[in-house]
Structures are given as C-alpha cells and as structure tokens.
Amino acid sequence: MGNTVRELADRTPAGRDRYVDLLRVASLGTVVAGHWLMAAVFADGQVGNLLAVLPELQILTWALQVMPVFFFVGGFSHALSYRSLSRRHDAVYSVFVRARLQRLLRPTMVFVLVWGVAALALGGRDGLAGVALRLVAQPLWFIGIYLAMVAFTPLLLKLHERWGWAAFGALALAAAGVDALRFAAEVPYVEFLNFAFVWLAVHQLGFLRADGRIGRPAVLAAGGLAAAAALVAFGPYPLSMVGMPGEKVSNMAPPTLALLAHGMWLVGAVELLRAPGARLVARPRVWRGVVAANGVAMTAFLWHLTAMLGVYGAMLALDLPLPAPASAAWWAQVPLRFAAAAALTALCVAAFRAFERPAGSRPAASPGRFAGPAAALGVTLSLLGVLGLSMVGFGGLLEGRTAVLIAVRISAPAAVVMALAGWLLVETAGRASRARAV
C-alpha cells in the first residue's frame, strides 16, 4: 500500500489542484468526527444527540457542518471530468456517469448487502442493535444527493457556461421560493424540492470555481454568514445546521435557504484559505497522506457509524462504565472512544477497500443505442433507492416500515431493489458506451 501511494503521489500531474483533494478528505473527516462526537449512547442502549443534551453547542455546527464543502468540491471535479470526456468520447453521458459513480456505488452496494444480510439475521431487536439497524443507513442520504449532482451535471454545466453566476442565482431563488411556499403558504411536500435546489446551487459554486470565477471569496463568506444569521434570527429556521431529534423544522432534511447561506459562507471561507492550503499539500509527506486517504474515503465514510456503534456495543457487553452524555467522565472518555472507533473503521476499510478501486471494463458486443437513457434511469433508481433506505433503515427489511420520499411511500425492500437495479444499469450502460468510444 505504501509503495502504491508513493507511486501515485509521485505521478501527480503538475497542474492538478491538490487543494481540492485536501478539501475532499478534510470535509469527510470532519463529518466522521462530528458523528462520533454527537452520538450520545445511554446505558439502556438508546442513542441521543449531544447537541440536544447541550443545546449551547449547536452554534459549533456553523463551522463543523462541512458537507457543503464536499458538494462544492464535487462540482469542481465534475466540471473538469465532463469536459475532458466530451473532448474524447461521443457517448459521453453514460461514460461520465459510470466513471464518476463507480467508486461511489460499488462500495455502497456492498455496504447495503452486508447490512441487509445482518438485518435479516438479527431479526427485530431492541436496544443498541435495533438502533444500529436504523442509524447506520442514515448517512446514505449523502450518496443519494451526490448521485443527483452527477446526473444533472451536463445540463447544469451548460447553464453555467451560458449564464455563470446567474445560473447559481436562479437555483438560490428557487430555494427561496420553495421555503416561501413551505412556511408562508404551507404547501405540502414542496419542501422536498430543496433537496435539489439547495444542494445543486452549492454544486454550481464548484463550476464557478473550476472557471476561476469566485473572485471575491471574502464577499461570498461574509454575505453567506450574514444571510444565515439573519434567516435564523428572524425566520423560522433553527440554529443547528444539522438535524436534531424531534425538531419541527430541520435545516438539513429537507435543506433550507439557511443551509444554502451556510454553504456560501463555508465556500468563501475555504477559498480564503486556498493559498496556505495549497502550500501545505505541496509537501510530499502531506500529499501522500491525502492520496492515501482519498483512496479509501468512501469506504471509511460508509462504515464509520458501524464502527462507532460497535465500540458502544462492546462497552455495554463488557459492562464497562458508560457515563452520562456531556458529563465530565463522558468527555474524558472521548479520546479513547475516538481511538477505538478509528481502529474499527480501519478494520472495515481493510476488509472492504477493494470495492472502492475502479473496476475494469470488458468490451461490449454492441455499443447500445439507449446507453444514455439507461444510465439516466440507473442513476435515478439508485438515487431513490439509497435515499429511501436512509429514511427507512435496515430494520425496515423485516418490520414493514415505510417512509415518505418525495410524496411517495417507500419500503426498505423496495429501496434495496431500486438501488441494486440502478447500479447494474449504470455499470452496463457505461461499459457499452465506453466500448464504442474507445
């Protein structure tokens, strides 16, 4: 592994924007650490949220809710990738979708299958096991949103190339309109549209960055921070930029205009740090670490909650002290719990990392006339499947529980079938088009 990482690092093109890779790793790492810290497990095996126990800590989410940075980086990478493929291939859409999603969907489908089998084996459980069957699926919402970003990249990139900042502005206005219909007119289900408008607007900022058009990051940061503060102070939006148990309104699910303003502030902030960040990642040792982390980042993200709950499960099974969340003894345990969760995550990475490596393509007998539509259908099915599973959880495989996804009720078995079918469509459509294009 070390030699491979060194070789990859040494072969890095001189023109590669290494700071973007650093942001990708740092944002996912921050999310993982945040999840580990926020989980408040009680002696009876129930899981709460540290931010609910200590509401005064919710202001920290204005710095630590960094998922917008990951989606911003995604926009930057998708713009470069799509343009590069457009210059070399005719059937670009299906090739682009497969190329961008291969390292995302393969480890995700393995995660779904492993936990699906575990859910069927465990059956209905109470306590921490039952909570785990629901909780470990929640981060899959991120996969679903990222799938949507890939699917809409060609269209939104064209709008960006024609309208620039106005394309971002249109998405932001659409997000504001959705919130107005939601809170002022109380239109049912309209809030789900902001899963698209808010996150695609952040993604659009990545396009602007790819073209060097974020010229005044300080203005973006200050404007976003001021807008977020005003919306929270005078609007119906909560302080926390992550979801809270039992809250009537969440800034995350569905996302709100306040979260978009928060994303603008974060994008401006990381752009202000671009020069020192680039100098840091230019150091060979640091760059090798970034390369190594990027190679397993998705696998680590998928399994980090499994590892954390495994640590708490072991503590309960061994009857080790489990202090009350937010107590002095609880805080003293944090470094030990983090170290144990990191070790278990590393074991999961060692077991499943091979699925994050891009798979080879076997030439197809025919290019397939409908490769593009098949890829679009595949990514749509995968998107709906993983989003549905994130809402229902693996426990729903046996319980028959359903959840409302974009005004439609979906069950866990249906979500798994859609996710798997979509993945297979993406793989086969991209492979056939690639055979024709090469």
Side-chain angles (χ1 to χ4, degrees), residues 119-215:
L120 296 176
L122 288 171
R125 290 295 184 98
D126 297 324
L128 188 60
V131 172
L133 290 173
R134 171 181 52 83
L135 196 61
V136 296
Q138 287 185 0
L140 292 177
W141 74 265
F142 150 79
I143 307 292
I145 299 302
Y146 201 80
L147 290 170
M149 291 175 174
V150 171
F152 283 106
T153 287
L155 172 62
L156 293 179
L157 190 56
K158 288 181 180 178
L159 294 178
H160 158 76
E161 290 168 347
R162 182 170 183 179
W163 301 107
W165 275 99
F168 165 80
L171 288 167
L173 285 174
V178 166
D179 273 12
L181 292 173
R182 175 187 180 184
F183 295 116
E186 298 184 352
V187 176
Y189 300 120
V190 70
E191 64 267 23
F192 289 105
L193 292 173
N194 267 351
F195 275 114
F197 293 140
V198 168
W199 290 125
L200 290 178
V202 174
H203 190 246
Q204 207 78 6
L205 290 173
F207 294 167
L208 290 161
R209 205 253 193 205
D211 289 345
R213 300 186 64 178
I214 302 182

Side-chain angles (χ1 to χ4, degrees), residues 25-54:
V25 169
S27 58
L28 280 183
T30 301
V31 170
V32 167
H35 286 168
W36 286 348
L37 182 63
M38 285 191 298
V41 178
F42 297 87
D44 61 357
Q46 295 304 304
V47 180
N49 191 312
L50 178 66
L51 299 180
V53 178
L54 286 177

Side-chain angles (χ1 to χ4, degrees), residues 19 22 274-287 290:
Y19 181 54
L22 176 63
R274 184 173 179 177
R279 288 194 297 270
L280 173 66
V281 82
R283 300 176 182 175
R285 183 173 298 180
V286 174
W287 177 237
V290 170

Side-chain angles (χ1 to χ4, degrees), residues 366-413:
S366 65
R369 290 182 55 192
F370 303 106
L377 176 60
V379 74
T380 301
L381 287 173
S382 294
L383 182 158
L384 294 174
V386 296
L387 280 181
L389 195 54
S390 74
M391 299 174 71
V392 180
F394 290 102
L397 287 170
L398 293 173
E399 298 167 0
R401 190 160 51 92
T402 61
V404 177
L405 175 64
I406 317 177
V408 176
R409 287 210 164 267
I410 188 170
S411 66

